[in-house]
Amino acid sequence: MGGDFGPAVTVPAALQALVSYPQLELLLVGNPAAINPLLVKTDSVLRERLTVIPAESVITSDAKPSQAIRASRGTSMRVALELIKDGRAQACVSAGNTGALMGLAKLVLKPLDGIERPALMVVLPHQKQGKTVVLDLGANVACDGSMLAQFAVMGAVMAEHIVGVNNPRVALLNIGEEETKGLDPIQHAAALLRDVPSINYIGYLEANELLTGKTDVLVCDGFVGNVTLKTMEGVIRVFLSLLKSSGESGRQGWLMQWVKRWMKRRLIRQFGQLNPDQYNGACLIGLRGTVIKSHGAANQRAFTAAIEQAMQAVERQIPERIAARLDAVLPKSD
Amino acid sequence: MGGDFGPAVTVPAALQALVSYPQLELLLVGNPAAINPLLVKTDSVLRERLTVIPAESVITSDAKPSQAIRASRGTSMRVALELIKDGRAQACVSAGNTGALMGLAKLVLKPLDGIERPALMVVLPHQKQGKTVVLDLGANVACDGSMLAQFAVMGAVMAEHIVGVNNPRVALLNIGEEETKGLDPIQHAAALLRDVPSINYIGYLEANELLTGKTDVLVCDGFVGNVTLKTMEGVIRVFLSLLKSSGESGRQGWLMQWVKRWMKRRLIRQFGQLNPDQYNGACLIGLRGTVIKSHGAANQRAFTAAIEQAMQAVERQIPERIAARLDAVLPKSD
C-alpha cells in the first residue's frame, strides 16, 4: 500500500517478480479493494503464487512514526511484519513510512542476539564497477563505538554474501585518515575492529571516497549516513538535470541536433548507474527476518529490484549469517 | 609556502591578484630563497606593493596539528597570522595544513566577543544561479546548540555582505524536516533561532537540498559539514571523470568524433561551476581578523580566488559586522 503510487506500482512489480522468479511466492498485504482490480488479468498459474492478505488500514507516509507505531494494529505494514514473525513469510518489502517501518520492524521482529540496534544499509555501485555496502543510513541517529563495530560486522557479512567479495575491506567514515581524527565513538569502534582478526578493517576513509571503490564496507552513524546518501542523491539529480537541459537552446542543423540527443541519452544512461532510482532497496539488517525499504518514489522496475533484494537476503540466509558472525567476533556489550 | 605546490603556485597567484586589484598590497611570508627567484621578472611598480617577510620554517601539510601548533614559533603560518594580530595585515590566506591553520588562528587571533568557536565556511554555487553559505565544514567536530546558533548568525552576515542577499534564509541541516527530527544540539539550535526575529530562520533542510537553492545559509556541525562537502566533491569528481572518459572507445567518423568532443567540452564547462576547484577558499570566521583556507591542491587561478575572498571579507568588514550582529541577537552563553 505504501510509497507515492501504492498498489499501482507495487502490484505490477510483484507480478513482474513472479514472472522472473518461478520459485517466488508473494503475499500482498493491504486493502483488497485496491489490490484485486489490478490482478484481474493475471495469468492463473502466476496467480497461484500470490495471496492477498487483507489489512484494515494504512500508515501514511507523512504520519509521525512514534504515533503511527502506537496505532499500528491492523495496518498493512504491521500485518506484513507479523507474517514474518509467525513464520508465514521470510521477508517484508515496503515503500511506506521509513521511520514507522524501522520502529515497527524492531518491535515486531526483535534484533538478533548480539545486536543492540538494527541498521539501514544500501549497496552503492562504485567507479570501479564494484559495489560498496554503506550503513547505517538513518536507523540510529546517535551510535556508540560498539554499535558501529556491530554495523561493521553486519556490513562485512553483506559484502561477502550479497556483493560476493572475499574478505571484504571494512572502513569507518571519518573526516580524516589519521587515527586521532573524528568523534569518540568512531575512535572506539576503530579500536574494537583492530582487535577482530576475522574482519579486514582498513581504517578511516573520507566521504570523497564514497564512490571510488576503496572499500567494500563503509560504516557510519545513521545521521551521517543519511546526510551522505542524500548529499549524493542531491548532487546526482542536479547533474542529471543539467545534463538533460544542456544545449537545449541554440540553433543547429538536424544532424547536430540528432548527434547531441544521441550523446545525451548515452551519458544519462552511463550516469544513471549512480542514479538513486536504479539501486532501489535499503536493507534493515540485524533483525530476525529480512526487511527491505524501497524508495517511496520507486517505479515498477525499482520496486521489483527491492523484491529481488529481499529474495537474495533470504536465499543467502543473511540474518542467520549475521548472527553467527557476530557471535564469533564481537564480545557482547551489556 | 603551503599547499601541494608551494610558492610555485602562490607567488604567481599573488602577482596576478596585484595586477587585478590596484589597491591590494601583499606580504609573502616564507623562505626568501624559494620566493625571490619567482619575483625576478616582476614589474617594478607591482613589486612595490609586495613585501617578502622571511620565516624560518614551514608547517608541513602532513604534520599533526597539535604538535605543529606547539612547535609553531617562526613558521610561515604563524608569522602570517601574527602580522594580522600586530595590525600589519588585515587577512591571511594559506593553502597549508588545515588543522594547524584553524588551531593557530584561534590561538593567535582569538575569537570575537560572543563567539565560542570560529567556524569554517564556504560559499557554494547552487542550481538557481545563486549561492549558499555552508558552515561549519570541520573546525568543530562536535557542536552544541548555542554554537550552531552562532554559526547561523555568522552565516547570515556572510550571506548578506558577501553573497549580497537581503534577509537571507537560514536553515539547519537535518535528516528530516519535522521539528522532532535529528540530534539534540540541532533541536536546541532551532529553538534558539526561532526566538531571534532578526534571523530569517526557515527550519530544517535535508542534504539533498544542498545545491537546490532552497536556503541562503545552511548550518551544521563540523563533522557533518566536512562529510557533506567531501561527499559532494567526490560525486562531482566521479561525474567529471565519467564524462571525460565517456564514449572514448568506439569507431566513428571524424564528424561524429568532433561533435562528441565539442559536446563534452561544453558539458564539462557547465558542470565545472560545481567543481571544487572553481570556488576555492573556505573562510574561517568568528575571529578578530580574516583567515582564508585555500585547497591544498589549488592551482594559480584557484589560489587567486582565495586572495579575492580575503579582500572581500576585509572590505566588507566581516569580522566587525559579525561581532555587531551577534551582540545584538544572541544572548551570551557562558
Side-chain angles (χ1 to χ4, degrees):
Chain A
M1 300 302 292
D4 300 353
F5 312 107
V9 154
T10 55
V11 174
L15 295 173
Q16 191 183 325
L18 287 174
V19 170
S20 306
Y21 304 97
Q23 80 282 25
L24 180 65
E25 294 188 29
L26 288 172
L27 310 171
L28 303 185
V29 187
N31 178 1
I35 297 170
N36 285 331
L38 297 161
L39 298 173
V40 176
K41 293 186 189 157
T42 309
D43 179 281
S44 64
V45 181
L46 223 55
R47 189 63 184 75
E48 280 172 20
R49 291 192 279 128
L50 195 149
T51 313
V52 177
I53 310 277
E56 292 154 26
S57 54
V58 166
I59 294 177
T60 56
S61 58
D62 56 355
K64 214 180 139 183
S66 55
Q67 286 169 4
I69 291 169
R70 247 174 283 137
S72 62
R73 203 155 298 276
T75 60
S76 54
M77 191 184 277
R78 177 151 192 162
V79 171
L81 291 165
E82 282 168 345
L83 289 171
I84 304 183
K85 191 185 160 202
D86 300 342
R88 292 179 61 197
Q90 273 78 57
C92 164
V93 181
S94 170
N97 187 311
T98 310
L101 183 66
M102 292 189 302
L104 263 181
K106 206 165 88 183
L107 190 77
V108 173
L109 296 180
K110 308 289 182 223
L112 291 164
D113 283 339
I115 291 286
E116 287 166 82
R117 307 274 199 90
L120 205 58
M121 181 223 81
V122 80
V123 178
L124 286 185
H126 64 62
Q127 219 177 353
K128 293 184 182 146
Q129 319 294 322
K131 284 171 178 175
T132 301
V133 168
V134 186
L135 73 171
D136 175 26
L137 299 176
N140 312 281
V141 287
C143 296
D144 63 24
S146 68
M147 282 166 68
L148 292 174
Q150 289 164 20
F151 297 168
V153 175
M154 295 199 283
V157 172
M158 295 301 284
E160 223 173 301
H161 296 285
I162 295 289
V163 183
V165 183
N166 265 332
N167 196 26
R169 298 161 298 173
V170 175
L172 292 166
L173 182 60
N174 203 340
I175 59 172
E177 298 193 1
E178 308 81 25
E179 276 192 26
T180 54
K181 283 275 179 178
L183 303 160
D184 291 344
I186 298 173
Q187 295 182 9
H188 180 215
L192 290 173
L193 291 170
R194 273 193 291 268
D195 283 346
V196 179
S198 65
I199 293 287
N200 181 10
Y201 173 65
I202 60 167
Y204 299 145
L205 272 187
E206 296 190 65
N208 51 347
E209 306 287 0
L210 183 67
L211 300 175
T212 58
K214 278 208 180 161
T215 188
D216 302 302
V217 180
L218 189 60
V219 175
C220 54
D221 71 45
F223 190 95
V224 168
N226 191 285
V227 166
T228 303
L229 200 74
K230 283 189 179 145
T231 300
M232 187 193 81
E233 291 182 3
V235 173
I236 289 173
R237 279 186 215 285
V238 167
F239 257 70
L240 289 175
S241 83
L242 275 179
L243 190 58
K244 281 177 188 147
S245 67
S246 77
E248 283 201 339
S249 64
R251 232 176 291 168
Q252 291 120 358
W254 64 270
L255 177 63
M256 198 69 152
Q257 296 269 10
W258 182 86
V259 173
K260 277 172 57 178
R261 269 202 300 276
W262 174 83
M263 249 204 83
K264 269 162 64 171
R265 268 201 306 274
R266 255 186 83 123
L267 284 168
I268 288 168
R269 205 181 321 136
Q270 196 168 4
F271 295 169
Q273 287 172 21
L274 297 175
N275 189 324
D277 299 340
Q278 305 298 307
Y279 52 81
N280 186 37
C283 199
L284 188 63
I285 56 176
L287 295 167
R288 300 172 194 277
T290 295
V291 178
I292 305 289
K293 170 66 180 79
S294 160
H295 248 279
N299 59 20
Q300 182 182 330
R301 184 181 147 196
F303 197 80
T304 308
I307 297 173
E308 289 168 356
Q309 277 213 39
M311 288 177 58
Q312 276 197 335
V314 171
E315 285 169 355
R316 298 179 190 176
Q317 302 181 290
I318 295 302
E320 296 79 0
R321 286 187 203 272
I322 286 176
R325 188 53 108 63
L326 264 169
D327 214 39
V329 299
L330 280 184
K332 301 260 187 305
S333 63
D334 312 288
Chain B
M1 302 301 291
D4 299 353
F5 312 106
V9 155
T10 56
V11 174
L15 295 173
Q16 192 183 325
L18 287 174
V19 171
S20 306
Y21 303 97
Q23 80 283 25
L24 181 65
E25 295 189 28
L26 288 173
L27 310 171
L28 303 184
V29 187
N31 178 2
I35 298 170
N36 285 330
L38 296 162
L39 297 173
V40 176
K41 291 186 189 155
T42 308
D43 177 283
S44 64
V45 181
L46 223 56
R47 189 65 183 77
E48 280 173 20
R49 292 191 278 129
L50 195 147
T51 313
V52 177
I53 311 277
E56 293 155 24
S57 54
V58 167
I59 294 177
T60 56
S61 58
D62 55 356
K64 215 181 139 181
S66 55
Q67 286 169 4
I69 291 169
R70 247 174 284 137
S72 61
R73 203 156 299 275
T75 61
S76 53
M77 192 184 278
R78 178 153 192 158
V79 170
L81 291 166
E82 283 168 345
L83 289 171
I84 304 183
K85 191 186 161 200
D86 300 343
R88 293 179 59 198
Q90 273 77 55
C92 165
V93 181
S94 169
N97 187 314
T98 310
L101 183 66
M102 293 188 301
L104 262 181
K106 207 164 88 184
L107 190 76
V108 173
L109 297 180
K110 307 290 182 222
L112 292 164
D113 283 339
I115 291 286
E116 288 166 81
R117 307 274 198 89
L120 206 58
M121 182 224 77
V122 80
V123 179
L124 286 185
H126 64 62
Q127 219 177 351
K128 293 183 182 146
Q129 320 292 323
K131 284 171 178 177
T132 301
V133 168
V134 186
L135 74 170
D136 176 28
L137 300 175
N140 312 281
V141 286
C143 297
D144 62 25
S146 69
M147 283 165 67
L148 292 174
Q150 289 165 19
F151 297 168
V153 175
M154 295 200 281
V157 172
M158 295 301 284
E160 221 172 301
H161 297 284
I162 295 289
V163 182
V165 183
N166 265 332
N167 194 27
R169 297 160 298 172
V170 175
L172 292 165
L173 182 60
N174 203 340
I175 58 170
E177 298 192 2
E178 307 82 25
E179 276 191 26
T180 54
K181 282 277 179 178
L183 302 161
D184 291 344
I186 298 175
Q187 295 181 10
H188 180 217
L192 291 172
L193 290 170
R194 273 193 292 266
D195 283 347
V196 179
S198 64
I199 293 287
N200 182 10
Y201 172 65
I202 60 167
Y204 299 145
L205 274 186
E206 296 190 63
N208 50 348
E209 307 286 1
L210 182 67
L211 300 176
T212 58
K214 278 208 181 161
T215 188
D216 302 301
V217 181
L218 189 60
V219 175
C220 54
D221 71 46
F223 190 94
V224 168
N226 190 286
V227 166
T228 302
L229 200 74
K230 284 189 178 146
T231 300
M232 187 191 80
E233 291 180 3
V235 173
I236 289 173
R237 279 187 215 285
V238 167
F239 257 70
L240 289 174
S241 83
L242 275 178
L243 191 58
K244 279 177 190 149
S245 67
S246 78
E248 279 199 345
S249 64
R251 233 175 289 167
Q252 291 120 358
W254 65 269
L255 177 64
M256 198 69 151
Q257 296 268 10
W258 181 86
V259 173
K260 277 171 58 177
R261 268 202 300 273
W262 173 84
M263 251 204 80
K264 269 161 65 171
R265 268 201 307 273
R266 254 186 85 121
L267 284 169
I268 287 168
R269 205 181 323 136
Q270 195 167 4
F271 295 169
Q273 288 173 20
L274 296 174
N275 189 326
D277 298 340
Q278 306 297 308
Y279 53 81
N280 187 37
C283 198
L284 190 61
I285 56 177
L287 294 168
R288 300 171 194 277
T290 295
V291 179
I292 305 288
K293 170 66 180 78
S294 159
H295 248 279
N299 58 21
Q300 181 182 329
R301 184 180 148 196
F303 197 79
T304 307
I307 297 173
E308 289 167 356
Q309 277 213 39
M311 288 177 58
Q312 275 197 334
V314 171
E315 284 169 356
R316 299 180 191 176
Q317 303 180 290
I318 296 301
E320 295 79 0
R321 286 186 202 273
I322 287 176
R325 188 53 107 64
L326 265 168
D327 216 38
V329 299
L330 280 184
K332 301 258 188 307
S333 63
D334 312 287

